[in-house]
Amino acid sequence: MPSKIPVLEIFGPTIQGEGRVIGRKTMFVRTAGCDYRCSWCDSAFTWDGSAKDDIELLTAQDIYDRLKEIGGNQFDHVTISGGNPALIKGIQDLVDLFEEKNIFTALETQGSKFQPWMRQINDLTISPKPPSSNMVPNLEILDDVIEQCIPSTLNLKVVVFDKEDYQFARMIHHRYPNIPFYLQVGNPYLDDDVEHHTEKLLGRYETLVDTVMNSSDMNHVYVLPQLHTLLWSNKKGV
């Protein structure tokens, strides 16, 4: 019997707003469930129970059919999001189907759990959570997860809200100096309607850029905004 995957959202086409694939045209499949409870999570509905009635248990074929129904022929890339999709063993069937259909894939996870299907992801982002999240990553587990991934598909990303987060990002970058590394400014403004949201985020982004420009030990990094928040603020489904 095909595995069932807990799905909260399927939407697109849109653009990927984060990490190495920023700007990439993509569809999104958002799964339910997470092993973290980040203080600033912009997708808390995936784990806090508020959207439990919206969860659908879908097979890989169900998900593919829904993607085609929504996106038609206007995509060749799918981002598997969450929550933490790495908790879900059954995504193996979905990744296999995407390979069969010549669809490229992206995934972001915090690096707390490894699944063999992660080796098949085209753009795999591991994003250890910084102190502002109120989570404490297990670096030994992170080491083990990274060791099992395919280096050519892998990148690291840390979201930065404050100086303590930046120091955490430096530590992660120097722990894994040969893995492409992205810093991304955090979005603390999570209300549905935030006045001057784009201007506020750009101001925080400029501060992060200035910090990196003045750091001699952060010369081989990329500094990113959250592109989707600049365009659409906190709107869901884009």
Side-chain angles (χ1 to χ4, degrees), residues 44-224:
F45 64 93
T46 63
W47 51 261
D48 67 6
S50 61
K52 64 180 186 299
D53 294 337
D54 298 326
I55 297 172
E56 296 183 88
L57 294 177
L58 304 178
T59 67
Q61 188 64 52
D62 292 335
I63 293 170
Y64 178 75
D65 291 344
R66 189 80 59 84
L67 286 164
K68 294 297 289 184
E69 178 184 343
I70 297 169
N73 296 320
Q74 297 175 331
F75 73 97
D76 67 356
H77 186 279
V78 174
T79 299
I80 304 170
S81 185
N84 184 10
L87 301 177
I88 305 171
K89 185 176 181 181
I91 288 178
Q92 181 69 67
D93 292 345
L94 184 62
V95 172
D96 289 343
L97 182 58
F98 286 157
E99 285 191 342
E100 177 187 325
K101 302 294 186 180
N102 296 315
I103 292 173
F104 298 95
T105 51
L107 172 81
E108 181 174 320
T109 177
Q110 57 260 45
S112 59
K113 186 172 179 59
F114 176 79
Q115 296 283 0
W117 54 259
M118 289 164 60
R119 295 194 185 101
Q120 296 168 255
I121 298 294
N122 298 108
D123 289 294
L124 175 60
T125 297
I126 293 182
S127 183
K129 303 310 177 190
S132 64
S133 70
N134 294 329
M135 297 291 106
V136 181
N138 184 319
L139 296 182
E140 291 185 2
I141 291 176
L142 182 62
D143 289 342
D144 183 63
V145 170
I146 287 175
E147 180 67 26
Q148 296 182 77
C149 293
I150 304 297
S152 62
T153 68
L154 180 62
N155 71 99
L156 287 165
K157 187 191 81 177
V158 173
V159 178
V160 175
F161 284 83
D162 54 34
K163 292 180 180 179
E164 195 174 358
D165 287 356
Y166 184 72
Q167 294 306 317
F168 174 84
R170 290 176 66 245
M171 180 274 292
I172 292 292
H173 177 45
H174 292 290
R175 189 179 182 93
Y176 312 102
N178 297 318
I179 300 176
F181 188 79
Y182 295 78
L183 294 111
Q184 182 173 288
V185 69
N187 172 22
Y189 316 112
L190 298 179
D191 293 337
D192 290 338
D193 186 15
V194 181
E195 189 175 4
H196 305 304
H197 196 203
T198 296
E199 289 82 359
K200 290 178 178 178
L201 291 174
L202 284 174
R204 295 178 66 87
Y205 178 51
E206 184 175 10
T207 298
L208 179 58
V209 168
D210 288 344
T211 301
V212 174
M213 295 309 103
N214 291 308
S215 300
S216 61
D217 62 346
M218 295 288 273
N219 292 342
H220 196 186
V221 303
Y222 303 82
V223 190
L224 300 179

